[in-house]
Amino acid sequence: MKPPELVCPAGTPSAMRTAVDAGADAVYCGFQNATNARNFPGLNFTLPELEKSVAGAHAGGTRVLLAVNTFPPAGKVDLWKQAVDAGARIGVDAFIVADIGVADYIARTHPGIRLHLSVQAAAASPEAIRYYCREFNVMRVVLPRILTVPEIKSMAAEIPCEIETFIFGNHGLMVEGRCALTNYVTGLSTNMDGVCSPAAQVEYIRDDTGNLSTRLGDFTIDCFSCAENAGYPTICKGRYLTPAHDGAYYAFEEPISLNLSSLLPDLMQAGVSALKIEGRQRSRAYVKSVVSAYRRAVDSIMAGQDPQLDDLLALTEGQKQTQGAFESKRWR
Amino acid sequence: MTTSATPRQSLGFLRQRPRWAPPAPLFLLQPLLRRIAQTVAAENPDMFGRLGPHYNALFVIDPVDMPFILLLRPDPENLLLALHRRGNVPDHAARISGSFLDLLMLIDGDLDGDALFFGRKLSVTGNTEAIVCLRNALDDVEGSIAGTVANMFGFAGRAALEALRRASAKQGEPA
């Protein structure tokens, strides 16, 4: 069995160094603009920062994957082309893309650089993935988090490219790249502006008894009692009153994190080439803990031992974890 | 029989003064805080770029288990780090509240802010975007801010920091 690549998040230069030191085989990152799907304030890289960081990562034997995985609005594609050209100039090892126009530009302009299909493309069928491989020479697909391990194994036999799956972090059940919930409420698009629940429109209100209300734009999307764990302020993880249910409930999905530590051997046997840890918006403390834990686990499996993974529950959203659809379509 | 201090007890020296000592006027500490802020800023000039338009926002850093709050304006041209009594909180853009140890370890990159928030050990109010910028700026600082401060006070500073880290470890958190 070929060792899978451990693909780790890097939201800042410091986080990238942390990931490299913790044993990342590859790191993924983005520029400080709308060209990537984690366009959060104060996060990501300037061009000089990324140039220096790429050199540092390569010196540590770690590959750098540049996320250019949002969808350019009409007439604004130049920003995406500039990001791609800059990435090529400073020597990134692959581009992670979702938009077919950006993919086409890379395939024609920088054919020597690997192209990975972002989860934002939501390509979940062999037919769709083969199309991207045929038309743009995509070398790897990041699968949506909606497939079981047996389905992934079948997929591996039917497509001509590598498979990357998420193993930790955001549960990510929405049809990624097509979710318009944030756009509906805030006017900004996750898919084109790279911001899900822009911080400028998030407000936390704590009352005298410790209850915490989360507001996005003009809407209250959740209220946590003082004894409850909290989650991210996204619409998909809000609690709502609907006629279909008694009391407020998580109509879309719960605040919970994916943790596939116990499925690692199955994923590797299924033909997964790369294991992805979500969380470019998280701290270097998170990166250090999660990357180190999974590095040890993957190495243990490759050595024929049972993986011993640290307890990562404290780092999970809502302090709850799931194997989601990877274990069963009836995870909820 | 030996006993060990609980984390709260181990922080007592920060909360309590000897019976014979008068209350420390906070203004006497201001030059020290100014020096700390200037030292950290001088050693980490790149961090300010991540603050974007919020570089001159006023942040309240609220260690909820202490009788004081800290007021921070991370403007390299007009830097402010000041102590205020809890009942005298000035107008501010954003407030970050948590235990003293959690805040210390958070600033030092030893704890994850999102995890603290999920576990309700950290609360934020006010301008969320300014808080996210500050968080990302601090998290990109290489090395230890607390270590930088401790080194300013030589052996005693390093010993105090080590005591705080031990207290944090006793709480079951990384130090």
Side-chain angles (χ1 to χ4, degrees):
Chain A
M1 187 164 58
K2 188 180 173 189
E5 185 176 270
L6 191 58
V7 182
C8 305
T12 62
S14 177
M16 188 182 289
R17 282 188 287 273
T18 301
V20 170
D21 291 345
D25 296 309
V27 289
Y28 64 102
C29 55
F31 284 121
Q32 289 180 353
N33 57 38
T35 60
N36 76 95
R38 284 286 184 272
N39 180 24
F40 295 172
L43 200 69
N44 294 320
F45 293 71
T46 63
L47 180 55
E49 284 174 345
L50 189 57
E51 184 168 19
K52 188 177 173 185
S53 298
V54 167
H58 285 170
T62 304
R63 291 174 285 280
V64 179
L65 320 179
L66 182 63
V68 196
N69 60 342
T70 41
F71 296 83
K76 295 184 178 176
V77 75
D78 281 355
L79 183 64
W80 278 254
K81 289 181 177 177
Q82 289 162 12
V84 165
D85 293 341
R89 194 167 61 247
I90 63 178
V92 301
D93 298 278
F95 294 109
I96 307 171
V97 299
D99 179 75
I100 56 174
V102 178
D104 180 63
Y105 178 76
I106 295 170
R108 286 186 295 104
T109 313
H110 305 289
I113 302 178
R114 285 172 61 97
L115 202 50
H116 295 183
L117 190 64
S118 171
V119 70
Q120 288 288 102
S125 71
E127 290 79 6
I129 294 166
R130 283 198 296 262
Y131 170 81
Y132 283 103
C133 296
R134 186 177 66 243
E135 295 299 324
F136 310 114
N137 194 29
V138 161
M139 307 290 283
R140 177 185 296 175
V141 58
V142 185
L143 289 180
R145 287 158 270 201
I146 55 170
L147 301 172
T148 63
V149 175
E151 285 175 330
I152 293 171
K153 188 172 184 179
S154 297
M155 181 80 79
E158 294 186 60
I159 59 175
C161 69
E162 300 168 358
I163 288 176
E164 180 173 310
T165 60
F166 283 93
I167 53 171
F168 192 86
N170 184 20
H171 194 190
L173 297 172
M174 310 307 283
V175 182
E176 292 177 86
R178 293 165 204 170
C179 174
L181 288 174
T182 277
N183 200 334
Y184 175 72
V185 169
T186 71
L188 289 171
S189 166
T190 306
N191 312 316
M192 293 191 285
D193 299 297
V195 283
C196 183
S197 292
Q201 297 193 45
V202 173
E203 185 181 12
Y204 297 106
I205 302 165
R206 188 175 176 176
D207 69 19
D208 293 339
T209 60
N211 297 325
L212 180 72
S213 294
T214 306
R215 288 180 64 81
L216 181 65
D218 294 331
F219 297 89
T220 298
I221 58 176
D222 211 339
C223 180
F224 302 97
S225 73
C226 54
E228 280 184 298
N229 291 322
Y232 280 123
T234 57
I235 300 168
C236 57
K237 290 164 187 167
R239 268 183 289 198
Y240 305 99
L241 293 165
T242 78
H245 202 276
D246 291 333
Y249 83 118
Y250 292 110
F252 299 100
E253 56 177 303
E254 298 176 34
I256 193 168
S257 288
L258 191 71
N259 185 354
L260 301 188
S261 56
S262 59
L263 289 180
L264 280 183
D266 297 335
L267 288 168
M268 291 160 66
Q269 291 287 352
V272 171
S273 300
L275 305 166
K276 185 167 209 159
I277 295 167
E278 186 272 344
R280 278 193 285 146
Q281 76 283 9
R282 301 290 291 264
S283 67
R284 57 192 160 109
Y286 167 95
V287 169
K288 182 179 180 181
S289 296
V290 180
V291 175
S292 301
Y294 273 100
R295 176 76 275 158
R296 284 192 296 272
V298 169
D299 290 348
S300 297
I301 294 167
M302 292 309 299
Q305 302 160 353
D306 289 335
Q308 300 293 320
L309 197 81
D310 295 348
D311 183 0
L312 298 172
L313 187 64
L315 292 167
T316 56
E317 185 176 2
Q319 308 215 318
K320 288 187 290 187
Q321 54 194 2
T322 179
Q323 294 179 332
F326 290 83
E327 182 189 30
S328 163
K329 296 285 191 186
R330 303 180 63 185
W331 70 89
R332 192 171 180 187
Chain B
M1 184 177 75
T2 58
T3 57
S4 59
T6 66
R8 291 189 66 80
Q9 287 169 335
S10 65
L11 284 176
F13 71 96
L14 286 168
R15 282 194 302 274
Q16 297 171 0
R17 60 185 166 83
R19 288 169 187 268
W20 48 265
L26 294 181
F27 73 87
L28 291 178
L29 296 171
Q30 295 308 137
L32 180 63
L33 287 171
R34 195 176 303 121
R35 192 174 147 226
I36 287 173
Q38 287 170 345
T39 301
V40 171
E43 292 196 5
N44 304 283
D46 293 341
M47 68 179 283
F48 297 103
R50 294 193 176 273
L51 292 163
H54 305 292
Y55 68 95
N56 59 358
L58 280 174
F59 295 89
V60 167
I61 313 295
D62 177 7
V64 295
D65 46 357
M66 294 292 156
F68 58 82
I69 58 100
L70 283 156
L71 194 64
L72 170 68
R73 183 177 54 230
D75 179 354
E77 303 297 322
N78 194 15
L79 200 56
L80 173 72
L81 181 64
L83 277 176
H84 282 257
R85 296 201 186 283
R86 184 161 292 282
N88 182 27
V89 180
D91 288 342
H92 53 276
R95 184 175 188 139
I96 305 164
S97 305
S99 76
F100 178 84
L101 280 177
D102 282 346
L103 291 173
L104 182 73
M105 296 300 139
L106 184 65
I107 288 169
D108 230 16
D110 286 333
L111 285 180
D112 178 70
D114 290 12
L116 288 174
F117 176 80
F118 297 149
R120 306 295 301 279
K121 294 178 179 174
L122 186 78
S123 75
V124 296
T125 54
N127 188 326
T128 308
E129 184 176 84
I131 292 167
V132 172
C133 286
L134 180 66
R135 187 212 82 102
N136 288 328
L138 290 171
D139 202 61
D140 194 36
V141 169
E142 205 69 67
S144 164
I145 290 177
T148 299
V149 175
N151 283 334
M152 291 171 62
F153 301 96
F155 174 78
R158 288 189 288 273
L161 178 60
E162 189 54 37
L164 289 171
R165 285 180 165 155
R166 278 200 301 273
S168 177
K170 282 180 183 173
Q171 289 187 157
E173 297 159 346

